[in-house]
Amino acid sequence: MGEREGDNGGGQAILIRPIGIIHSCFKEKFGIPRQPGIAPSATARLELLSPFGRPELLRGLEQFSHIWVHFLFHQTLVEGWKASVRPPSLGGRVKVGVLASRSPHRPNHLGLSAVRLEKIDCRPHRCILELSGIDFLDGTPVIDIKPYIPYSDSIPTASAGYGVGKEALSEVRFSREAEAFCREYRERTGRNLLQLIGELIRHDPRPASQRSRPEQQFGMRLWELNIRWRVEQDGAVVEGCEEVADWVAAGSGLDEA
Amino acid sequence: MGEREGDNGGGQAILIRPIGIIHSCFKEKFGIPRQPGIAPSATARLELLSPFGRPELLRGLEQFSHIWVHFLFHQTLVEGWKASVRPPSLGGRVKVGVLASRSPHRPNHLGLSAVRLEKIDCRPHRCILELSGIDFLDGTPVIDIKPYIPYSDSIPTASAGYGVGKEALSEVRFSREAEAFCREYRERTGRNLLQLIGELIRHDPRPASQRSRPEQQFGMRLWELNIRWRVEQDGAVVEGCEEVADWVAAGSGLDEA
């Protein structure tokens, strides 16, 4: 915090206030897609806060398939920023400058994601945007939304120094018990858990430091569920899914086998 | 300002401080491209401010062709935000919600542009990024930069409700005097004024409210110059370019014929 609020270095600080808040299935950082768009089944509801939750502020937005969401990496606010980071897409081995990364440990902690706008649901005194292809932690404060304008925002020929988005694991298999749970859960809630888990794990959410231990089981929280999985050769196996009544008591989400 | 700093509507306000400042040819709003990328000859220097102007924060960024610049629409901060706006690409006739637009009159006044990264020039205690295809007012405070990652940022198939970027004027001609001035100016400064003026005027920077008066001459400031031009049928004529020693005394930049 000191880095942000100390000497203002020639630029005047200004106050930013949230215009909305995210409700998503991601209750902790582990398992969140590293970029938006790579898990189309990951959905969220963006609730606009007063005085911004009025239909007139959104008029015309329904004509756009995608929007930009500007948000705050609120969980790293207290951790401050770092000059250098080790992007997971470089296997955690290479240091790059924080401004050459999309790391949350950045000055001002500003996040930016292009996501699909599925639906706008406005009722008196409250507007909800339904989004998909998201990478937001539950409770993320939103500070702006903008229509995605392909003419100026889409630069398919841009060259990028290091890649993201490659699917790292060739296959995601489910144990008989895990698959049965997912099917039953879908009937009960409408959530396509099989597909979502597949999309998330296929991109290998393991921290680089944990990849050398193939025997390790990981736990990933989605909604009120703990998803247990393990990597085998170049594929992954989902071993179990359980409802966790009190996640805080249940631990960190990284379960040792 | 009251709208931004009053009741915080359920979300906690946070302090954002500039990490850099823009030096550009655009000394006033009139004439600035309405989106980045439409005037490739429009360049700017982004000067990182202390303590952010250190090479280690930028390490690896040179591998990216484009970057996102997050900035503040500093000139509209005091004007506050509006619920509805009239986008110039809709001819100023149609009202849309501010969150369905890229208007500067938005909550939190956050701007976002994808621009080309031409060069990084770091010396002890100061780093400058040379950018092109910009749409920044001179003096714009920058609050974040990020690498442009085509995998997640480029969505060429996204559908947009209303268009931008169409070239509105078929041709930009120069008077003999204006052309001679531009050639002499290029020899003296290295700045390709003919090309830059052509790119800017071709997109028709006139406010919608002024388009019905074909006789009107417009003045557009670039660096220390005033560029006078007029629309004729579907083309434009640049009638003169003059150095303006003291722009403030010289008026608003909108000269009546």
Side-chain angles (χ1 to χ4, degrees):
Chain A
M1 290 289 270
E3 290 272 17
R4 287 191 310 107
E5 297 189 281
D7 140 63
N8 76 359
Q12 201 190 336
I14 76 148
L15 266 178
I16 297 280
R17 72 193 266 210
I19 66 163
I21 189 162
I22 291 285
H23 304 284
S24 91
C25 58
F26 298 115
K27 308 300 178 188
E28 56 174 28
K29 279 189 253 178
F30 183 70
I32 297 184
R34 294 200 175 106
Q35 297 300 331
I38 67 180
S41 301
T43 59
R45 312 179 82 203
L46 194 174
E47 178 188 358
L48 290 170
L49 300 170
S50 171
F52 308 106
R54 284 146 47 199
E56 63 187 297
L57 273 76
L58 298 171
R59 185 171 160 185
L61 192 64
E62 70 285 352
Q63 298 169 49
F64 292 83
S65 63
H66 292 74
I67 62 170
W68 288 110
V69 177
H70 290 251
F71 61 96
L72 295 174
F73 289 111
H74 62 300
Q75 279 211 341
T76 57
L77 278 174
V78 291
E79 296 167 22
W81 61 278
K82 299 175 184 173
S84 301
V85 295
R86 297 172 186 273
S89 60
L90 290 173
R93 292 180 307 274
V94 181
K95 262 184 160 179
V96 305
V98 66
L99 298 178
S101 83
R102 303 285 277 248
S103 164
H105 290 99
R106 56 195 315 111
N108 291 323
H109 299 269
L110 301 179
L112 175 69
S113 294
V115 300
R116 179 174 280 277
L117 175 61
E118 299 285 351
K119 191 179 167 192
I120 300 174
D121 181 15
C122 280
R123 299 181 192 178
H125 310 300
R126 99 156 181 29
C127 281
I128 303 269
L129 308 186
E130 295 187 10
L131 311 174
S132 67
I134 62 106
D135 59 346
F136 306 124
L137 193 63
D138 189 46
T140 291
V142 172
I143 54 175
D144 198 7
I145 63 172
K146 296 183 168 77
Y148 186 97
I149 298 177
Y151 182 85
S152 50
D153 296 333
S154 179
I155 311 174
T157 57
S159 57
Y162 50 89
V164 290
K166 289 194 299 287
E167 297 196 348
L169 299 169
S170 61
E171 193 189 13
V172 179
R173 296 180 296 276
F174 288 74
S175 73
R176 194 172 301 174
E177 294 74 16
E179 186 173 339
F181 180 92
C182 290
R183 295 200 186 282
E184 183 273 328
Y185 189 78
R186 185 175 187 181
E187 276 183 28
R188 186 153 47 95
T189 65
R191 296 168 177 160
N192 190 341
L193 204 52
L194 276 176
Q195 190 169 326
L196 176 60
I197 293 172
E199 289 170 5
L200 295 175
I201 296 182
R202 203 166 286 127
H203 287 276
D204 196 356
R206 292 177 300 166
S209 60
Q210 309 271 343
R211 292 187 188 180
S212 53
R213 298 161 64 190
E215 78 286 2
Q216 186 169 333
Q217 191 183 61
F218 292 87
M220 178 169 77
R221 191 181 178 193
L222 296 175
W223 295 290
E224 74 287 9
L225 307 174
N226 184 35
I227 315 298
R228 289 180 292 107
W229 57 281
R230 187 194 305 269
V231 172
E232 284 183 357
Q233 285 117 29
D234 62 346
V237 181
V238 179
E239 299 187 322
C241 309
E242 295 98 14
E243 299 192 34
V244 180
D246 178 359
W247 180 257
V248 177
S252 69
L254 205 70
D255 303 315
E256 294 293 332
Chain B
M1 292 289 269
E3 290 272 20
R4 287 193 309 108
E5 296 190 281
D7 140 62
N8 76 0
Q12 202 190 336
I14 77 149
L15 266 179
I16 296 280
R17 71 193 269 208
I19 66 162
I21 191 163
I22 291 285
H23 305 283
S24 91
C25 58
F26 299 115
K27 309 299 180 188
E28 56 174 29
K29 278 189 254 179
F30 183 69
I32 297 186
R34 294 198 176 106
Q35 296 300 333
I38 68 181
S41 301
T43 59
R45 312 179 82 204
L46 193 174
E47 178 189 359
L48 289 170
L49 300 170
S50 172
F52 308 107
R54 283 146 47 198
E56 63 187 296
L57 273 77
L58 299 170
R59 184 171 160 187
L61 191 66
E62 71 285 351
Q63 298 169 50
F64 292 83
S65 63
H66 292 74
I67 63 171
W68 289 109
V69 177
H70 291 251
F71 60 97
L72 295 173
F73 289 111
H74 62 300
Q75 279 210 341
T76 57
L77 278 174
V78 291
E79 296 167 22
W81 62 277
K82 299 174 182 172
S84 301
V85 296
R86 297 172 186 273
S89 60
L90 291 173
R93 292 181 307 275
V94 182
K95 261 185 162 178
V96 304
V98 66
L99 298 179
S101 82
R102 302 285 279 246
S103 165
H105 290 100
R106 56 195 314 110
N108 291 324
H109 299 269
L110 301 179
L112 176 68
S113 294
V115 299
R116 180 173 279 278
L117 174 61
E118 298 285 351
K119 191 179 165 191
I120 300 174
D121 180 14
C122 280
R123 298 180 194 180
H125 310 299
R126 102 158 178 27
C127 281
I128 303 267
L129 307 186
E130 294 187 11
L131 309 174
S132 68
I134 62 105
D135 59 346
F136 306 124
L137 193 63
D138 189 46
T140 291
V142 172
I143 55 174
D144 199 7
I145 62 172
K146 297 183 167 76
Y148 185 96
I149 298 176
Y151 182 86
S152 50
D153 296 333
S154 178
I155 310 174
T157 57
S159 57
Y162 50 89
V164 292
K166 288 193 300 287
E167 297 196 349
L169 300 169
S170 62
E171 193 189 14
V172 179
R173 296 179 297 276
F174 288 75
S175 74
R176 193 172 302 173
E177 295 74 17
E179 186 173 339
F181 180 91
C182 290
R183 295 199 186 283
E184 182 273 325
Y185 188 77
R186 184 175 188 180
E187 277 181 28
R188 183 154 47 94
T189 65
R191 295 168 178 160
N192 191 341
L193 204 53
L194 276 176
Q195 190 169 327
L196 176 60
I197 293 173
E199 289 170 4
L200 295 175
I201 296 182
R202 203 165 286 128
H203 288 276
D204 197 356
R206 292 178 300 165
S209 60
Q210 309 271 344
R211 292 187 188 180
S212 54
R213 299 161 64 190
E215 78 286 4
Q216 187 169 330
Q217 191 183 62
F218 292 87
M220 178 169 75
R221 190 181 179 193
L222 296 175
W223 296 289
E224 72 288 7
L225 307 173
N226 184 34
I227 315 298
R228 289 181 294 106
W229 57 282
R230 187 193 307 268
V231 171
E232 283 183 356
Q233 287 119 24
D234 61 347
V237 180
V238 179
E239 300 187 322
C241 309
E242 296 99 14
E243 298 193 34
V244 180
D246 179 358
W247 179 257
V248 176
S252 69
L254 205 70
D255 303 314
E256 295 291 332

